Structure formats: structure tokens, C-alpha cells
Amino acid sequence: MVKLTLLIKATLDNVTELQPKNENHEFHFKIQCSSCHEEHPSTVPINRQEEHDISSSRGSASFVWRCSFCKRESTLSFLPPQAPSSGTLKAKKNAKIPTTTTPLPLNESDDWSVFLTVECRGMEVVGFDFEGEWKAKVPDSDTVFEDIVFEDGRWDEYDEESKLPCSIEDLEAKWVKA
Ligand SMILES: [Zn+2]
């Protein structure tokens, strides 16, 4: 079993609180079998609201995968977002861990931020794609953009209320040990 935290980073221009638009957002993960190290051929959509039965036990997980190469079953479940176990974002002693698995919004530009945490058995997550719809708000404005879709890794809009151009670019993601 391994606990992994996804850190994200982006250049935010006149927007803040970047997060998935919906509770049932499909996160696109690149996964790899821990037994034979075969990578899944595509990114897989995983919904943290879903529960799937595990055939080898009575439990359930958000995502269950049988490796097409070695046939071993592996699982992934979402945990409340938590800081990495090492590095500069390391969790402070007595730091509060959120009580729900809701991803944490990205508020500031150009700095790695804890986004979500998963627990994997028999697989590892090795990549992340910013697919699907996202939302973000404009600081000091009532504007909330609710249909953000990234094309070629970026998004641009204009906020009528604050009369400011808004954009998101330089999206990056990395998995670290939680
Ligand atoms: Zn395998």
C-alpha cells in the first residue's frame, strides 16, 4: 500500500481558487502496475464518488483495475488531501488534515500546492491530466468562471466586472509520497 499526494502548480493571472467544477469530476490518472511495472496504455478517468467492489476481498475502492499483462488486481481510493512526507511542503506537526476527500483549490501562482491524496494497492499513479471542466474566481470581483477547459495547456478569458484579462497557463502536476 502506498499513499500518494498530487501536487499541482500553474501560472494564475487574475484568478484564484482553481478547482474541478463538479463533485463528480473525473480525474485523469496515468497508472502503472506495481507487480509487472506495465503502464496502462491510456489515462484512466477516476471518479472519487464511485465505489467498486474488490473481487479478492469484501472491500470496495474508487477504482479497481486488473492489469492486462500480469492479471493482478489493484485498487485506488481517495483520502483527505495531506501534505507530502518530505520536502518543503512537508506537513507541520499537529497540522490539520481535511476531513473530506474534496481536492484543495489552487490559490497562488508558481508554487506547488497540495491538491489531492490517494491510497494505492498493487498500482501506482504516475501521471495526471487536467482534463474536464474546472472553475476559478476572480479576486476582488464577483465573477466565477465555471466552464474552464484547458486547450493546449492554457485558458484565457476577460472579466467584464474588473475589466481584467484572466488566464491560466503552465499547468504542472507531480505525485509525491504522502
Ligand atoms: Zn501487471
Side-chain angles (χ1 to χ4, degrees), residues 56-97:
S56 54
S57 81
R58 282 195 198 167
S60 64
S62 304
F63 179 71
V64 179
W65 175 48
R66 188 171 294 280
C67 173
S68 59
F69 199 70
C70 74
K71 311 294 180 205
R72 282 202 176 84
E73 188 180 67
S74 58
T75 65
L76 179 148
S77 289
F78 286 80
L79 299 176
Q82 47 191 279
S85 53
S86 61
T88 50
L89 279 174
K90 198 173 164 173
K92 292 184 190 78
K93 234 184 178 178
N94 304 324
K96 263 193 203 153
I97 293 179

Side-chain angles (χ1 to χ4, degrees), residues 76-119:
L76 179 148
S77 289
F78 286 80
L79 299 176
Q82 47 191 279
S85 53
S86 61
T88 50
L89 279 174
K90 198 173 164 173
K92 292 184 190 78
K93 234 184 178 178
N94 304 324
K96 263 193 203 153
I97 293 179
T99 52
T100 72
T101 61
T102 307
L104 302 178
L106 178 65
N107 294 322
E108 284 175 39
S109 274
D110 303 324
D111 214 355
W112 290 107
S113 173
V114 172
F115 183 52
L116 56 81
T117 300
V118 298
E119 181 180 80

